Amino acid sequence: MQVVAITNQKGGVGKTTTALTLASELALAGQRVLVIDMDPQENLTMGLGVEVPSDGATLYEVLTRGVALAEAIYPVPDERLEMLHIVPAGPYLARAESELPGQIGFDEILKHRLQSCSGYDFAILDAPPSLGPLTINAVGAADLVLSPVQCEFFSARGVVKLLDVVDVVRERRNPDLRFRVVPTLYDKRNNICRAVLAELRKQFGHQVCGVTVGVDTRVRESQARGVPLGLYAPKSRAAIAYRELAQEVITLLSSEGVARAAA
Ligand SMILES: Nc1ncnc2c1ncn2[C@@H]1O[C@H](COP(=O)(O)OP(=O)(O)O)[C@@H](O)[C@H]1O
Ligand SMILES: [Mg+2]
C-alpha cells in the first residue's frame, strides 16, 4: 500500500478537496483506496456523507485507544465508489492533539496501524491545518507528502516550514519519502497568481507537480451536493486536473516501487 499525506499548515488551501477528489479519482480508476480524515473539523467525513454510529470506532480510538484500523473503516454511501473506504475523524479527534504527545513513539502510531491493514493500493490522509501531532503522524506514515498550495504571497514560506519537517522524517526514519507541491485555486488571469507559480517552480523545481488545479465553481457545487467532483462534473476543468494528478501520483509511486525492488 502506498500512503499519500495531504498536508499544509494553512487552512482553506484545498487539502480536503484534494484528498477527496484524488481518492475518488484513484478509486474510479480501479484502485482500492482508503481515505483517512485526520482533521477534527470532519469536513472529509461529511463531504462523503458518511454517518458513524454513536458507538462506532473512529480515527480517535485508533490513535489513542489501541483500536485496530480495520475496526474504524466504513464504506462510502455512494455505490459508484465501492472501491473507496473511509476512516472518519470522529467527534473527539481534537483531543488527540494533546493526548498523543504523552505516548511513547506517538509520531509512528498511524504508520504501525497502516502496516497491519491490508487490501488497499492507496491510503490518502487528509491532515489538519497545523504542524501538530496529527500532521506529524501523517508525514511519518507517508510515502509521498502532497502539499496543496494556493498561489499567493508568502505561500513559499509555508512550504519551507513543511519541508523542514519532511527533511527530519527523511533523515531519521524514511529516506525514500517523496514531497510534491500541487498548486491549487490557481487563477491564470491574475498576475500575482502567475508570478507566485513561477516562483514556486523556480524555488522547488521538480517538487512542484506538473498539474495545476484552477479555480472552478463546480468544486463548491459538488461539495454542497455531497457528490465527489469526478462524479458530479467529470468533464469540469478541476475534475480533469485531479484525474491527471491521480495518474501523476500512480506513476511517481510505482516508479519508486520499481527502483526499490531493483536496489
Ligand atoms: N479548485 C477549486 N476551485 C474552487 N473552489 C475550491 C477549489 N478547491 C477548493 N475550493 C474551495 O475552497 C474552500 C477550501 O477548500 P478545502 O479543500 O476545504 O481546504 P482545506 O482543507 O485546506 O481547508 C472550500 O470551500 C472548497 O470548496
Ligand atoms: Mg480540510
Side-chain angles (χ1 to χ4, degrees):
M1 174 167 51
Q2 301 288 343
V3 181
V4 183
I6 314 293
T7 63
N8 185 325
Q9 59 273 38
K10 240 185 122 183
V13 297
K15 282 184 295 300
T16 300
T17 302
T18 299
L20 181 65
T21 317
L22 177 64
S24 50
E25 286 303 325
L26 286 168
L28 292 169
Q31 306 285 332
R32 295 165 303 171
V33 185
L34 181 64
V35 69
I36 304 184
D37 189 354
M38 301 189 70
D39 187 344
Q41 292 181 57
E42 303 180 275
N43 290 347
L44 181 80
T45 307
M46 293 185 291
L48 281 168
V50 175
E51 300 214 6
V52 184
S54 58
D55 57 348
T58 63
L59 182 65
Y60 174 72
E61 287 77 26
V62 171
L63 292 178
T64 65
R65 300 286 185 269
V67 168
L69 198 61
E71 287 181 42
I73 295 177
Y74 299 81
V76 165
D78 193 320
E79 58 201 26
R80 292 169 294 182
L81 292 171
E82 60 176 3
M83 304 291 272
L84 179 63
H85 292 168
I86 181 172
V87 175
Y92 306 115
L93 188 63
R95 294 182 195 165
E97 294 274 14
S98 58
E99 291 176 16
L100 279 172
Q103 301 190 34
I104 294 168
F106 78 86
D107 53 336
E108 289 198 306
I109 296 176
L110 183 62
K111 180 184 179 150
H112 290 143
R113 294 282 186 273
L114 279 166
Q115 277 167 351
S116 50
C117 175
S118 60
Y120 295 97
D121 301 304
F122 287 93
I124 309 292
L125 319 178
D126 183 22
S130 67
L131 281 179
L134 288 166
T135 296
I136 302 292
N137 257 275
V139 175
D143 297 289
L144 166 66
V145 170
L146 188 61
S147 185
V149 168
Q150 204 175 341
C151 295
E152 58 182 25
F153 279 131
F154 309 124
S155 292
R157 276 197 204 174
V159 176
V160 169
K161 271 194 192 159
L162 180 57
L163 254 176
D164 285 346
V165 175
V166 168
D167 281 339
V168 172
V169 173
R170 267 189 191 137
E171 193 186 310
R172 300 192 185 158
R173 311 235 203 243
N174 178 10
D176 295 330
L177 180 58
R178 303 290 185 98
F179 177 78
R180 289 288 184 278
V181 165
V182 52
T184 52
L185 289 155
Y186 181 68
D187 178 0
K188 64 176 182 226
R189 290 164 306 178
N190 181 319
N191 291 337
I192 292 175
C193 250
R194 289 209 307 269
V196 172
L197 179 60
E199 183 56 35
L200 285 171
R201 291 203 193 282
K202 202 165 129 200
Q203 199 171 341
F204 301 106
H206 75 283
Q207 296 185 108
V208 179
C209 285
V211 176
T212 299
V213 183
V215 174
D216 189 333
T217 51
R218 302 295 241 170
V219 171
R220 280 215 170 103
E221 272 174 40
S222 70
Q223 287 169 355
R225 304 258 161 91
V227 181
L229 184 67
L231 290 171
Y232 177 75
K235 292 185 181 153
S236 63
R237 274 176 300 142
I240 292 168
Y242 277 113
R243 209 162 297 135
E244 287 172 9
L245 182 66
Q247 289 307 321
E248 203 172 324
V249 166
I250 290 173
T251 305
L252 178 69
L253 293 176
S254 62
S255 63
E256 179 182 272
V258 170
R260 245 194 229 151

